[in-house]
Amino acid sequence: MKLDAKIPSGPLAQKWTNYKNEIRLVSPANKRKYDIIVVGTGLAGASAAASLGELGYNVKAFCLQDSPRRAHSVAAQGGINAAKNYRNDGDSVHRLFYDTIKGGDFRAREANVHRLAEVSLNVIDQATAQGVPFAREYSGYLATRSFGGAQVSRTFYARGQTGQQLLLGAYQALMCQVSAGTVKIFPRHEMLELVLVNNHAKGIVVRDLISGKISTVTADAVVLATGGYSNAFYLSTSGVASNVTASWRAHRKGALFANPCFTQIHPTCIPVSGDYQSKLTLMSESLRNDGRVWVPKNAGDKRSPEQIPDSDRDYYLERIYPAYGNLVPRDIASRAAKRVCDEGRGVGPGGLGVFLDFRDAIKRLGEPVIRERYANLFDMYHEITIENAYKTPMRIYPAIHYAMGGLWVDYNLMSNLPGLFVIGEANFSDHGANRLGASALMQGLADGYFVLPYTIGDYLARNEVKRPAADVPEAKLAETETAARLNKLLSIRGKRTPVEFHKQLGRILWDNCGMAREEAGLKKAMQAIAALREEFWQNVIVPGSHADLNMALERAGRVADFLELGELLCLDALERRESCGCHLRTEFQTPEGECLRNDTDYAYVAAWEFTGAGKPPQLHKEPLVYEEAHMAQRSYK
């Protein structure tokens, strides 16, 4: 299989403009003839469905939740990047482009990243026009703040609720199109299979989560906007319902899965407190603007933080990375926190925590200013820990957060399966081996509002395979396979719940493919996951039936897919014999403990092909060629 990224010719800064000028178009009258399925209604899905509906397409939008407003995008707190340069501090499209390429440790596709930086300008205008209440300066101009991996203030924000406010803006646009009749929403429906006709994506099989009814919906194109797969680790910052099933079903039908081992560890999470937890809670990276990260200089120092003077504190990020300080990228901050905790200088129960201290910012700015910027985050921290972060430092520790890997897509955001488009976190395209903070919202809205509406039209204008009827043989076969898989889960009647298997999988992945990976541990993990997967299909218990509401059945299906993904995740990490971004192979690091890339052998996108149950996947490589970004060892010192 030859991977064609379909990157336009010409200078990097002109590729997107030239592409839009040359792309095939669908006339307004013909747009009404096309049906498009959008799976997922977070920022990427809602913005795509609203934009496609406004263009005149017939859109069917599916979501797990009872309302698109409950998509996990609401949990994105800190902000959204854009190269507006309102601060006049030297920002530009080129600088945002380069910061993103560098932040991803030179493992992202250059053309896609530059387009993202260009489109970021439009995203802020779009959201502001929708009434998103971005913070403003006294003069009325939109305010910005800094995030990790940048030396400029380019992050627009709405206190600590940016994702929620942006989602409400997209939701309003979506519901406007629902009212206009161009979009129809199907809440409480889960995609369980992809329908291919002549190898083109032409529909999906869905299960009504309330009634249990399985049905097929056909269309001219399918868009997956279903988020990432960090919940494979069980404890992550994602919502409990977040899953990989839609992407994994597409993968098993032939869609390539790219860079699955690139999973981000976020440095600013409330530490694990017990086995009873079903998820972890993130404290926004925006807090690192005013909070200082530190640990005691001496191992075993059990004094309360207020009793430890500055002379006995190690502000280790400021010490090691003076140019960026507390605003180094997430992967670097996470590994630094792990190192000081491994040295015995961690704080809190078990020594798995570091302090995020606002004492100096409150002295400098006053508590009212800090409350204005972060009040809801401080309130959330208090609700979980019963600690007042205005008086005593927060305790944080790294946790699984985001998936840079995902389904492979070309420049059009279309997978190798014609007609299957993948946007937002569900694809791999923009962040390389590490995502900079506040860039997830930027990508999701850029894909949905400004990229997909162009590129999907080019595919539809070709009209190679017409929309099939819902009872086409391929659809009926997909329905039959889906029902058989559900019945198999229900028939096992074992002794262990899906949650038990999920917890065990998460521990295997975290221990062996988390913040650090090494060959022996990855091989051990692959064997352990294979054995766990075999036990799952012999010993899982799922009560009830699939003919009604059955949350245990939902969970079982998702865990089954996580088990298969977990093996691929470890295999990808094993095959990539280098360290880059979030992927730290302990065998490949500098004397200072930083990532040691191997650009000669591994400057490629690893795209894995499913070859059949029980068969090893096949690796395809898309070489990464840079026209303007010059590969170099990352340095934030």
Side-chain angles (χ1 to χ4, degrees):
M1 182 184 297
K2 180 177 174 57
L3 295 180
D4 182 6
K6 297 183 173 62
I7 298 173
S9 59
L12 183 63
Q14 297 175 21
K15 288 183 186 295
W16 179 231
T17 299
N18 292 342
Y19 177 84
K20 290 189 293 182
N21 290 336
E22 299 169 1
I23 201 170
R24 297 190 185 192
L25 300 175
V26 179
S27 73
N30 286 335
K31 285 186 175 77
R32 294 191 293 269
K33 301 176 182 178
Y34 291 109
D35 288 1
I36 300 173
I37 290 170
V38 177
V39 186
T41 55
L43 281 177
S47 59
S51 300
L52 294 171
E54 187 172 3
L55 285 171
Y57 294 107
N58 301 305
V59 181
K60 297 180 175 68
F62 296 82
C63 65
L64 290 172
Q65 302 84 3
D66 58 349
S67 167
R69 291 176 297 173
R70 296 188 186 275
H72 190 59
S73 298
V74 301
Q77 303 159 341
I80 176 172
N81 287 332
K84 285 287 195 181
N85 195 31
Y86 285 169
R87 288 289 187 97
N88 197 31
D89 56 359
D91 201 9
S92 65
V93 167
H94 178 80
R95 195 174 294 277
L96 173 55
F97 152 73
Y98 188 78
D99 284 347
T100 304
I101 287 283
K102 177 183 175 182
D105 216 351
F106 301 93
R107 290 296 178 262
R109 187 188 290 150
E110 187 181 57
N112 288 63
V113 175
H114 197 280
R115 176 175 64 187
L116 176 64
E118 294 176 61
V119 173
S120 72
L121 306 175
N122 301 332
V123 170
I124 300 302
D125 295 339
Q126 174 85 4
T128 304
Q130 291 172 339
V132 173
F134 287 123
R136 294 179 180 266
E137 305 287 359
Y138 180 77
S139 62
Y141 290 114
L142 297 184
T144 55
R145 57 190 177 199
S146 299
F147 256 61
Q151 291 181 309
V152 296
S153 294
R154 64 163 65 103
T155 304
F156 296 80
Y157 64 97
R159 288 198 176 182
Q161 306 170 1
T162 313
Q164 181 182 30
Q165 297 302 325
L166 288 168
L167 184 60
L168 287 173
Y171 173 73
Q172 291 174 117
L174 177 63
M175 296 310 294
C176 179
Q177 296 308 310
V178 171
S179 177
T182 61
V183 177
K184 185 174 182 180
I185 295 179
F186 296 84
R188 287 306 215 172
H189 280 72
E190 181 172 20
M191 172 185 162
L192 295 181
E193 194 56 87
L194 179 70
V195 176
L196 297 181
V197 177
N198 294 333
N199 205 44
H200 284 241
K202 292 297 173 181
I204 60 174
V205 176
V206 296
R207 179 174 180 267
D208 185 321
L209 298 181
I210 302 298
S211 69
K213 181 182 178 182
I214 298 171
S215 59
T216 299
V217 182
T218 58
D220 295 283
V222 177
V223 180
L224 297 187
T226 49
Y229 51 85
S230 61
N231 263 358
F233 290 78
Y234 186 72
L235 284 182
S236 79
T237 64
S238 293
V240 173
S242 299
N243 63 83
V244 77
T245 289
S247 292
W248 196 252
R249 293 293 106 198
H251 173 60
R252 288 179 64 98
K253 282 293 181 71
L256 300 179
F257 210 109
N259 299 337
C261 77
F262 289 167
T263 50
Q264 182 171 76
I265 315 292
H266 197 294
T268 319
C269 180
I270 297 178
V272 177
S273 58
D275 291 338
Y276 58 86
Q277 288 181 263
S278 59
K279 73 176 299 293
L280 298 175
T281 302
L282 181 69
M283 289 288 99
S284 169
E285 182 175 314
S286 63
L287 293 170
R288 290 199 276 152
N289 272 272
D290 292 306
R292 301 180 70 190
V293 180
W294 65 275
V295 292
K297 285 185 177 179
N298 302 313
D301 191 335
K302 300 300 182 182
R303 289 178 291 177
S304 65
E306 297 85 359
Q307 295 175 326
I308 301 177
D310 275 2
S311 58
D312 290 338
R313 297 182 178 192
D314 180 11
Y315 295 94
Y316 58 89
L317 291 178
E318 299 171 32
R319 171 174 56 82
I320 303 172
Y321 309 102
Y324 285 75
N326 296 296
L327 289 173
V328 293
R330 291 172 175 178
D331 60 318
I332 289 176
S334 295
R335 284 194 294 273
K338 182 179 186 298
R339 282 198 299 270
V340 296
C341 290
D342 289 347
E343 293 168 2
R345 296 192 288 144
V347 301
L352 294 178
V354 299
F355 288 128
L356 182 60
D357 196 339
F358 292 86
R359 181 198 64 182
D360 294 343
I362 290 173
K363 285 182 180 179
R364 185 179 72 254
L365 301 170
E367 187 174 316
V369 172
I370 300 301
R371 285 186 179 275
E372 182 180 355
R373 292 177 179 177
Y374 312 111
N376 65 303
L377 299 174
F378 278 64
D379 292 343
M380 183 166 62
Y381 184 82
H382 180 266
E383 287 294 320
I384 293 171
T385 66
I386 316 300
E387 295 177 7
N388 183 353
Y390 296 104
K391 304 300 181 184
T392 189
M394 290 182 179
R395 288 177 295 107
I396 57 172
Y397 192 70
I400 291 287
H401 175 58
Y402 186 90
M404 282 76 65
L407 293 183
W408 183 89
V409 293
D410 61 18
Y411 190 75
N412 297 314
L413 304 183
M414 187 167 72
S415 76
N416 59 296
L417 296 178
L420 178 65
F421 292 80
V422 190
I423 62 177
E425 190 181 356
N427 74 32
F428 87 98
S429 68
D430 291 358
H431 305 298
N434 176 66
R435 177 176 66 77
L436 294 183
S439 288
L441 304 185
M442 174 176 63
Q443 184 208 352
L445 293 179
D447 286 356
Y449 282 137
F450 297 108
V451 179
L452 181 72
Y454 279 99
T455 62
I456 201 170
D458 183 66
Y459 168 77
L460 294 172
R462 300 173 191 275
N463 199 25
E464 296 175 6
V465 178
K466 294 185 182 297
R467 178 174 73 252
D471 60 353
V472 70
E474 292 88 342
K476 288 300 181 184
L477 177 60
E479 273 192 43
T480 301
E481 292 173 343
T482 299
R485 190 165 64 249
L486 296 177
N487 286 327
K488 184 176 180 181
L489 287 168
L490 291 162
S491 67
I492 297 170
R493 298 296 179 181
K495 296 182 179 179
R496 299 185 65 192
T497 67
V499 174
E500 291 179 73
F501 283 100
H502 196 179
K503 279 186 177 182
Q504 189 172 344
L505 171 66
R507 175 51 62 185
I508 294 170
L509 289 174
W510 177 252
D511 288 345
N512 298 285
C513 201
M515 277 193 282
R517 300 102 184 258
E518 49 90 22
E519 183 173 347
L522 290 167
K523 290 180 176 178
K524 175 185 173 183
M526 291 174 64
Q527 293 174 349
I529 295 172
L532 186 64
R533 177 168 51 82
E534 184 177 350
E535 183 190 354
F536 175 87
W537 287 105
Q538 295 175 357
N539 197 30
V540 72
I541 180 169
V542 183
S545 73
H546 73 70
D548 55 12
L549 176 67
N550 190 338
M551 297 183 71
L553 179 60
E554 297 170 31
R555 187 66 172 268
R558 296 165 191 169
V559 172
D561 292 330
F562 278 142
L563 285 164
E564 294 186 8
L565 167 68
E567 287 188 78
L568 182 62
L569 198 157
C570 292
L571 175 61
D572 187 47
L574 181 64
E575 290 293 317
R576 188 170 285 277
R577 296 179 59 80
E578 66 165 351
S579 292
C580 56
C582 65
H583 171 63
L584 178 72
R585 283 284 296 269
T586 56
E587 307 98 315
F588 309 103
Q589 51 185 316
T590 67
E592 294 81 20
E594 305 292 355
C595 289
L596 185 61
R597 291 198 327 266
N598 179 348
D599 295 334
T600 301
D601 298 322
Y602 294 97
Y604 61 73
V605 177
W608 294 91
E609 179 185 0
F610 180 78
T611 60
K615 298 179 181 179
Q618 184 175 353
L619 174 61
H620 304 276
K621 300 176 182 179
E622 179 200 335
L624 291 170
V625 180
Y626 293 110
E627 299 175 15
E628 292 196 13
H630 302 289
M631 293 186 186
Q633 182 68 32
R634 282 195 308 170
S635 174
Y636 292 93
K637 296 182 177 181

